Amino acid sequence: MLEITCPYCGKRAQKEFTYAGDAGAERPNLETGTNQDWFEFVYLRDNPRGLHDELWHHSAGCRRLIKVRRDVVTHEIIDTGAPSDSLSTGAS
Amino acid sequence: MQKYSIFSLARNALTSHENWGEAWRNPDPKQEYDVIIIGAGGHGLATAYYLAKNHGITNVAVLEKGYLGGGNTGRNTTIVRANYLLPENELFYEHSLKLWEGLSQDLNFNVMFSQRGVINLAHTDAQVDAHQRRGNAMILNGADGVWLNKHEVKARAPLLDISDRARFPIKGGLLQPRAGTARHDAVAWGFARGADARGVDIIQNCEVTGIDIENGGVVGVQTSRGAIKAKKIGTAVAGHTGHIAAMAEMRLPIESHVLQAMVSEPVKPCLDTVVTSGATHTYISQSDKGELVMGGDLDLYNSYAQRGNFPRIEEVVASVISMFPAFSRLRLMRTWGGVMDMSMDGSPIITKTDINGFYINGGWCYGGFKATPGSGWVYAHTIANDTPHKLNEGFALNRFERGYMIDEEGSGATPNAH
């Protein structure tokens, strides 16, 4: 079981959360976004084997979206925060 | 290649089975190949086999970072079926199923393909309609499908709870009689032996660390055993397609996720078909050793780890027990995980790319094992002719851009929901 620290509620079990995907996918500007921008936003992913920034929905808690930086090989959670926060790289 | 037969068995019995030759060589990599396939799992080995057999291309290397068949080929739940709704999928998987039916003879290697049937349970009236529609689509595309009412389902799997008390009451099921299971390791071994006998080099413990590209075309790979030149390079690396594509500076419509499977302790024969449920997304069969083999959903978050988490195991077991209450007395013996390429529409990608001589075979989601021979067949054709086989024209990489998704579930660009 992953233990995810919600920035609003504290440390909670993974079962309280719903995965909401890659936090790096940025929605293009409605006025200026090209077809290519939208294609990349909807379909293409970096899918790194290493650190991954992702959104989780605290669906059985405060119901807010949070951002999690996680190592997808070891499942270690490096840092969590609000979606607009910049997270630590874990290198101290 | 030493032909396996009743006579070779008898001959070797006379010498206490001490003189069987090796099934394949273990060569050092050459300087250069016509084609390099990355990944010696079922798909990679099948591709090499059909490159040699169907297209006469034998100067081929299959590079494997670990040992042959040690990835998802040895981790799946061994189910082989062709019960899809959409024509691109159904025609492709039906071709694959036909190849399965002759595979042991073709390879002279027993892949233990057992056509015990696959039943896909329906639990609501809406699912009954959807399953019958899918069954009709399968028949229209030349496959077999039979609708079973709940009593006919019960006759095939007597331990199922078909009462109205069940958590998900069973209304009936769509049976594909020609579907079944196969021995997963034997598929890799059979294709490896057949490819090796035709001159293909299978190079194990050789991890690809880079792809060399000059003037928009591939020229070779960097590996843990040195640089190897090649005119064409094809990937067949299951959940690591995105990782390899990044070496060629490509981003793909793929996320990697971990999928778990598990077996109970072995018991006497009690389930001689495969039962799957769309409502609980669970699939279960009994292995020849007597273990009940079970699987369910992904862990649902991105992962390259070949192990999963406990909440999913609990859910799979709970779903199985809701269908088969008798199994609640069994202990779970072993669980494991494999890395899946989850594509953005739930269908595979078998394609040439914008880089000359670079080919991708990935995005298999939950269902790569059953596709093994069909995938090798069309991928070999794509690599040999630099143009897709008619069965994988729809599986092109550019379908996402063009809006020609093959979205069996209709769930959109959410890779973990397929």
Side-chain angles (χ1 to χ4, degrees), chain B residues 168-183:
Chain B
F168 298 102
I170 292 165
K171 303 267 182 184
L174 176 61
L175 167 72
Q176 185 169 43
R178 287 162 58 242
T181 59
R183 170 89 200 276

Side-chain angles (χ1 to χ4, degrees), chain B residues 115-175:
Chain B
Q115 292 179 294
R116 58 185 63 191
V118 170
I119 301 171
N120 193 200
L121 297 175
H123 301 274
T124 63
D125 290 339
Q127 274 189 352
V128 171
D129 290 347
H131 282 39
Q132 290 185 348
R133 177 180 175 228
R134 182 150 52 88
N136 288 336
M138 287 155 58
I139 293 166
L140 281 173
N141 281 313
D144 57 329
V146 180
W147 174 253
L148 305 176
N149 67 33
K150 71 176 181 180
H151 301 289
E152 291 166 331
V153 170
K154 177 88 173 171
R156 287 174 179 268
L159 291 176
L160 271 176
D161 177 8
I162 59 161
S163 73
D164 291 336
R165 292 191 317 274
R167 172 68 184 83
F168 298 102
I170 292 165
K171 303 267 182 184
L174 176 61
L175 167 72

Side-chain angles (χ1 to χ4, degrees), chain B residues 35-257:
Chain B
V35 179
I36 283 180
I37 305 293
I38 307 173
H43 287 234
L45 294 166
T47 305
Y49 175 76
Y50 290 121
L51 273 173
K53 185 180 177 223
N54 294 358
H55 305 282
I57 301 173
T58 56
N59 186 22
V60 176
V62 185
L63 309 183
E64 169 57 48
K65 73 173 171 182
Y67 61 92
L68 182 161
N72 286 356
T73 301
R75 291 164 191 272
N76 57 73
T77 50
T78 78
I79 299 168
V80 175
R81 60 186 170 85
N83 54 356
Y84 285 81
L85 174 70
L86 301 176
E88 291 91 341
N89 279 331
E90 185 56 29
L91 290 169
F92 169 74
Y93 287 111
E94 171 60 20
H95 178 67
S96 193
L97 183 53
K98 287 205 175 78
L99 290 173
W100 276 107
E101 289 176 321
L103 199 58
S104 292
Q105 285 71 27
D106 184 32
L107 296 176
N108 180 230
F109 198 94
N110 187 1
V111 299
M112 298 169 76
F113 181 45
S114 161
Q115 292 179 294
R116 58 185 63 191
V118 170
I119 301 171
N120 193 200
L121 297 175
H123 301 274
T124 63
D125 290 339
Q127 274 189 352
V128 171
D129 290 347
H131 282 39
Q132 290 185 348
R133 177 180 175 228
R134 182 150 52 88
N136 288 336
M138 287 155 58
I139 293 166
L140 281 173
N141 281 313
D144 57 329
V146 180
W147 174 253
L148 305 176
N149 67 33
K150 71 176 181 180
H151 301 289
E152 291 166 331
V153 170
K154 177 88 173 171
R156 287 174 179 268
L159 291 176
L160 271 176
D161 177 8
I162 59 161
S163 73
D164 291 336
R165 292 191 317 274
R167 172 68 184 83
F168 298 102
I170 292 165
K171 303 267 182 184
L174 176 61
L175 167 72
Q176 185 169 43
R178 287 162 58 242
T181 59
R183 170 89 200 276
H184 49 196
D185 300 317
V187 178
W189 298 337
F191 275 123
R193 178 167 165 268
D196 179 86
R198 287 169 171 80
V200 172
D201 283 357
I202 300 165
I203 300 158
Q204 303 179 69
N205 296 312
C206 180
E207 180 171 3
V208 170
T209 53
I211 293 173
D212 298 332
I213 296 169
E214 282 173 19
N215 303 323
V218 294
V219 292
V221 292
Q222 299 292 325
T223 76
S224 56
R225 294 176 69 173
I228 308 173
K229 287 195 167 66
K231 297 185 186 74
K232 293 179 176 180
I233 297 170
T235 74
V237 294
H240 283 70
T241 307
H243 182 66
I244 296 286
M247 295 175 189
E249 294 180 355
M250 287 177 72
R251 294 171 84 216
L252 296 179
I254 284 176
E255 282 184 4
S256 297
H257 285 258

Side-chain angles (χ1 to χ4, degrees), chain B residues 403-418:
Chain B
Y404 287 91
M405 265 67 73
I406 307 169
D407 193 344
E408 195 80 24
E409 304 252 335
S411 51
T414 47
N416 63 357
H418 290 291

